[in-house]
């Protein structure tokens, strides 16, 4: 979507800044799992080089390294939150919450969907609380670095679930 004004452009840039390392982190990890599952689905034939599957698995194994290791991308996610004073995270969470509101409205009668949406909202809230605590503390850099991987993974999974 093309930004309509300066505010939209700022919002889009903020989303891009946090979503880029999130996407690299999640897709790098998912690629390994998906390639492995695909190879397993072929059974013993999946291990034969002429199927191309072993090469795909090898390529998937190095994807998280080529795109930046999980820790590097996780730290980049948290850096985007820190440098924006939390604005990047707020923008991402607002976007997700708008989608969740649509889900709640569309699935008013489906208790399972409402429960799933509620769990996703809880995960987003936990990410916001963690970031707020880290941004407000003097030892933010060291504490956040230790938990950045869990933070980014939870945030990425919650956002993609919307």
């Amino acid at each position: 979507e093309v930004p309509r004004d300066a505010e939209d452009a700022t919002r889009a840039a903020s989303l891009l800044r946090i979503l880029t390392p999130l996407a690299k982190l999640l897709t790098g990890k998912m690629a390994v799992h998906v390639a492995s599952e695909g190879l397993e689905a072929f059974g013993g034939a999946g291990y034969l080089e002429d199927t191309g599957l072993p090469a795909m698995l090898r390529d998937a194994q190095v994807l998280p390294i080529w795109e930046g290791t999980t820790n590097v991308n996780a730290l980049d996610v948290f850096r985007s939150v820190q440098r924006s004073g939390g604005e990047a995270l707020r923008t991402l969470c607002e976007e997700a919450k708008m989608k969740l509101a649509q889900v709640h409205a569309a699935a008013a009668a489906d208790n399972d969907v409402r429960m799933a949406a509620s769990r996703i909202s809880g995960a987003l809230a936990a990410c916001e609380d963690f970031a707020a605590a880290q941004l407000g503390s003097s030892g933010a850099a060291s504490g956040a670095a230790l938990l950045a991987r869990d933070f980014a993974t939870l945030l990425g999974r919650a956002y993609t679930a919307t």
Side-chain angles (χ1 to χ4, degrees):
E1 183 176 322
V2 177
R4 294 178 297 271
D5 54 30
E7 187 178 324
D8 279 355
T10 301
R11 184 176 177 81
S14 188
L15 273 174
L16 183 63
R17 177 65 183 99
I18 195 168
L19 283 174
T20 299
L22 270 179
K24 291 166 96 175
L25 180 148
L26 291 174
T27 57
K29 287 296 185 190
M30 281 191 256
V32 175
H33 178 72
V34 168
S36 181
E37 288 291 321
L39 197 122
E40 185 180 321
F42 274 78
Y47 291 90
L48 299 175
E49 286 295 330
D50 30 333
T51 64
L53 292 172
M56 186 174 64
L57 179 60
R58 287 191 299 274
D59 288 346
Q61 290 285 350
V62 296
L63 185 62
I65 297 165
W66 289 336
E67 292 299 328
T69 65
T70 304
N71 285 342
V72 168
N73 281 316
L75 289 170
D76 199 21
V77 168
F78 201 75
R79 252 189 314 275
S80 73
V81 173
Q82 286 178 314
R83 288 183 181 161
S84 69
E87 187 58 33
L89 180 61
R90 275 189 295 281
T91 302
L92 182 80
C93 288
E94 285 171 11
E95 183 94 5
K97 288 173 186 175
M98 285 189 308
K99 293 176 184 180
L100 287 170
Q102 292 171 344
V103 168
H104 271 287
D110 191 332
N111 192 42
D112 290 339
V113 173
R114 284 196 338 270
M115 283 178 42
S118 181
R119 289 183 69 195
I120 295 165
S121 293
L124 290 169
C127 289
E128 288 177 306
D129 291 347
F130 171 77
Q134 293 304 312
L135 291 172
S137 73
S138 59
S142 61
L146 293 174
L147 297 170
R149 186 179 179 128
D150 292 338
F151 167 77
T153 302
L154 178 62
L155 180 61
R157 288 180 177 161
Y159 185 76
T160 57
T162 63

